[in-house]
Amino acid sequence: MIYRVLAEATMVVHFLFIAFVVTGGFLAWRRPRLIWLHLAAAVWGLCIVVFALNCPLTYVENWARERAGQSGLERGFIDTYLTGVMYPERYLDEVRLLIAVVVAVSYAGVVIRWRRRRG
């Protein structure tokens, strides 16, 4: 039971991490110090995509699921829970581009707000 709860909690944390990667730059508009945490998360997310790395959270979820008697994820977290579920697989490149644009816009907003505060 505890391993199943751990697996589900890890899945939730994974979703929250991805949501932070996508929208965290906008949070930095209100909390400027968050930009450094978001930059680290965005770089990590980019490295996972570019270098086809597995996120440590995927390992934790798989480990917990296997101990709970379930099968682990056959593919990565995004491939399992998002691609083909939240958007069609054929739009993967477009979704990645959209996420990059959203992050870039949020960073542009951070820069504009910083300049206004200094000026």
Side-chain angles (χ1 to χ4, degrees):
M1 171 81 173
I2 189 82
Y3 291 114
R4 183 173 179 201
V5 171
L6 179 60
E8 299 299 323
T10 304
M11 180 181 63
V12 170
V13 170
H14 221 146
F15 273 117
L16 292 173
F17 176 79
I18 290 170
F20 182 68
V21 167
V22 176
T23 63
F26 294 107
L27 295 174
W29 290 16
R30 288 277 194 210
R31 304 276 188 255
R33 290 184 179 177
L34 276 178
I35 196 65
W36 303 112
L37 181 60
H38 184 263
L39 182 61
V43 167
W44 176 248
L46 181 65
C47 287
I48 287 173
V49 169
V50 170
F51 301 114
L53 302 174
N54 282 324
C55 179
L57 290 171
T58 303
Y59 290 118
V60 172
E61 184 177 348
N62 283 339
W63 176 83
R65 288 198 184 283
E66 289 167 3
R67 290 200 176 30
Q70 301 173 339
S71 61
L73 304 179
E74 291 181 20
R75 304 176 298 162
F77 180 86
I78 292 174
D79 293 333
T80 301
Y81 295 114
L82 299 176
T83 304
V85 177
M86 299 293 287
Y87 53 87
E89 192 168 346
R90 67 180 178 270
Y91 293 123
L92 178 61
D93 291 335
E94 289 84 353
V95 169
R96 287 177 176 172
L97 178 61
L98 178 62
I99 291 168
V101 168
V102 167
V103 171
V105 167
S106 72
Y107 283 6
V110 167
V111 169
I112 290 168
R113 287 170 127 356
W114 281 355
R115 287 186 178 172
R116 284 186 185 163
R117 286 184 184 171
R118 286 187 176 180

